[in-house]
Amino acid sequence: MAESASLATEADRRFMAAAIRLSLWHQGLTGENPSVGALVVRPQAEGGTIVGRGVTALSGRPHAELQALREAGDAARGATVYATLEPCSHIGKAPPCADALVAAGVARVVIATLDPDKRVAGRGVSILEKAGIEVVTGCLEAEARRAMAGFLSLKGRGRPFLTLKLAVSPDGMIGRRGAGQVSITGDIARRAVQMMRVEHEAIMVGVNTVAEDDPFLTVRLAGLEKRSPTRIILDPFARTPPVARLFAEAARHPVLILASEKASRRQADDLREKGAVVQTVVSDYRGRFDPREVLRVLGIIGLKSVLLEGGAETARRFVDAGLVDRISLFVGTSTFGQDGIASPVTETAVPPGFEIVGSGRYGDDRLIEYERID
Ligand code: AOF
Ligand code: ZN
C-alpha cells in the first residue's frame, strides 16, 4: 500500500494498537463486514486523550468511525482519528465514513491498512486528503491485517481464511485406530481450543470424525456458550449418523453438511429433518471433494474464517492442496507408539512455506503456531 508509515509516531502506534484490540471485540460477529476499531484522540504533548471509541456493530453496521465520532461529538474537531481499516467511501446503508470524518472537522486520520473492497480501495483516503486532512497510512499494518485476515481473505481470494488445529502426541500421532475420541492434550489446552472456536465463524470436520468421535463441536466455556460457531461436516455421501450428538443443538448452532450429488436423497432429507442444512458440492467420480471447491462454496456463503479440526485425512488433503493459512499445533505429553494415526503435520514435519509465528504452554501441553509466508 502507499507507504506513509514513516509519518506515524510512537504515540500513533500506541493508539493504533489500542484500536486493533478494540476491533477484536466483535471478531466473527460482523457478518461479511470486517470488525474495525476506531478511536478519536485529542492530541496533547503527552500523547493524547481518547474522546471517542467505536467498533463495527454486531452484524456489520453502523461502522466503527461513525460510532467513535458520535461519542466524541464536538471534541472531534481538530482531533486525530485512528482507524484499523481505510474509512469507507461508498454509500451503503449509511453515508460514507470518510464524508463523516470530513464533516466532523478532524485534522488527521491514521489508517492501518487500505480497504480492498472495490467500492473503496483508496477512495476513502482521497476524500480525506482532498478535504485537507492529513492522512497517515500503514501504521501497524501487519498487526491490523492479521486481526482482519478473514475479511481480507474473503475479499481478496473469495474464500475464508483457513486455520488447521491439530493435537499430536510427542511421537506425532493424532489418535489411535478404532479408539474413537482419545485425549492427547489436557483440560487447559482443550479450553484453549474452545476459545479458538469462539474466534472463528465455523468449525469444519470430515464425516469420519463425526462417525468415530461423536463430538459436539460446540463451545462449552461458561458464559461463551452462545459463541459456538457453525459446524460444517464434509460428507460426500450424507452418511452422518442422524443420531450424532452434534444435532442436539442444531437449532441454536447451525450444522452445515456438504454432500455431493452422489448422496442418497433420502439420507440427505433425514439429516435435514435433524436440523442440518445440506448443501451440494461437486465431487469427483469417487465422491471426493476438491478442497478448493469446498472453500469456494464457503466463500459464497460469506464465511470469513474456518477452523479445520480434523481428522487426519481431511487435514492432509487441505494441507496438500496448499489451502491452509495457519496451523495451530498442540503437542501433548504421552506417546502413542504403534497403532497410532499419523498426523499430517508434526513439529518435525511442517509443510513447506510455513514459519513459526508464536508458541505457548497450556498446562503440560505446548502450542506452536505457524503461518504461511506468501
Ligand atoms: C468502515 N468502517 O467499521 C467497516 C467498514 O455493507 P456496508 O455498507 O456496511 O459496507 C461493507 C464494506 O464496508 C466492507 O466490505 C468493508 O469494505 C467496509 N467496512 N468500513 O469504514 C467499518 N466495517
Ligand atoms: Zn464506513
Side-chain angles (χ1 to χ4, degrees):
M1 74 180 281
E3 238 331 316
S4 64
S6 57
L7 298 177
T9 64
E10 192 46 46
D12 287 339
R13 282 189 282 275
R14 271 209 314 279
F15 283 118
M16 187 59 84
I20 293 171
R21 278 199 299 280
L22 183 59
S23 79
L24 298 178
W25 284 22
H26 287 174
Q27 182 99 297
L29 299 172
T30 51
E32 286 186 41
N33 234 321
S35 182
V36 173
L39 295 176
V40 181
V41 174
R42 298 233 30 112
Q44 281 158 357
E46 293 298 301
T49 306
I50 296 171
V51 292
R53 285 153 301 181
V55 54
T56 309
L58 301 182
S59 302
R61 294 177 205 94
H63 286 182
E65 298 87 328
L66 294 183
Q67 298 179 75
L69 287 175
R70 206 174 292 151
E71 190 187 359
D74 289 341
R77 196 156 293 281
T80 296
V81 171
Y82 295 86
T84 62
L85 182 70
E86 176 186 10
C88 67
S89 56
H90 68 286
I91 302 187
K93 291 235 165 64
C97 289
D99 288 355
L101 290 163
V102 172
V106 308
R108 197 164 167 259
V109 176
V110 181
I111 297 166
T113 192
L114 292 184
D115 189 346
D117 190 309
K118 289 188 187 64
R119 298 169 296 176
V120 185
R123 279 184 209 99
V125 169
S126 338
I127 292 175
L128 299 172
E129 281 177 341
K130 277 202 192 104
I133 295 172
E134 180 192 345
V135 179
V136 176
T137 56
C139 177
L140 296 193
E141 180 166 22
E143 290 81 352
R145 289 184 74 85
R146 172 171 286 187
M148 57 180 99
F151 166 74
L152 296 172
S153 173
L154 189 61
K155 276 283 167 222
R157 309 184 293 189
R159 62 134 169 124
F161 188 90
L162 186 66
T163 301
L164 170 63
K165 173 247 133 185
L166 287 166
V168 300
S169 60
D171 54 345
M173 304 296 167
I174 67 161
R176 194 168 275 137
R177 256 168 235 298
Q181 208 162 14
V182 284
S183 292
I184 289 169
T185 52
D187 198 43
I188 298 173
R190 280 205 294 275
R191 281 160 181 269
V193 170
Q194 300 235 335
M195 204 54 214
M196 290 177 68
R197 289 179 179 173
V198 169
E199 289 162 356
H200 287 80
E201 292 175 342
I203 312 171
M204 182 161 71
V205 295
V207 63
N208 292 338
T209 298
V210 178
E212 284 160 27
D213 298 1
D214 200 10
F216 287 102
L217 300 176
T218 51
V219 173
R220 293 177 299 281
L221 296 173
L224 285 173
E225 298 88 344
K226 284 202 194 100
R227 298 285 304 267
S228 285
T230 295
R231 294 159 296 162
I232 302 169
I233 308 170
L234 300 175
D235 185 8
F237 297 103
R239 284 188 331 223
T240 300
V243 294
R245 293 193 294 187
L246 50 72
F247 288 119
E249 292 199 76
R252 241 172 306 160
H253 309 302
V255 176
L256 170 63
I257 295 182
L258 300 185
S260 76
E261 64 282 7
K262 297 185 170 58
S264 122
R265 191 165 292 178
R266 192 182 50 75
Q267 272 163 246
D269 284 344
D270 285 351
L271 297 175
R272 286 195 180 96
E273 207 138 282
K274 299 299 290 187
V277 170
V278 181
Q279 170 132 359
T280 306
V281 173
V282 291
S283 66
D284 66 15
Y285 68 99
R286 283 185 293 178
R288 292 209 320 185
F289 292 143
D290 174 351
R292 207 166 288 278
E293 178 63 12
V294 168
L295 291 190
R296 194 185 70 83
V297 169
L298 298 183
I300 291 169
I301 293 170
L303 287 173
K304 301 197 298 296
S305 63
V306 173
L307 182 64
L308 180 59
E309 288 209 35
E313 184 49 33
T314 305
R316 191 182 306 280
R317 300 199 52 216
F318 280 86
V319 168
D320 288 350
L323 295 172
V324 173
D325 299 306
R326 177 172 244 260
I327 301 171
S328 296
L329 185 70
F330 287 90
V331 184
T333 50
S334 41
T335 46
F336 269 48
Q338 282 143 15
D339 62 320
I341 303 169
S343 170
V345 177
T346 65
E347 260 183 287
T348 50
V350 178
F354 281 86
E355 69 173 18
I356 295 182
V357 293
S359 61
R361 197 166 257 288
Y362 292 87
D364 293 329
D365 306 313
R366 290 179 304 122
L367 168 65
I368 308 143
E369 302 206 86
Y370 306 86
E371 260 180 34
R372 181 179 292 288
I373 22 167
D374 285 319

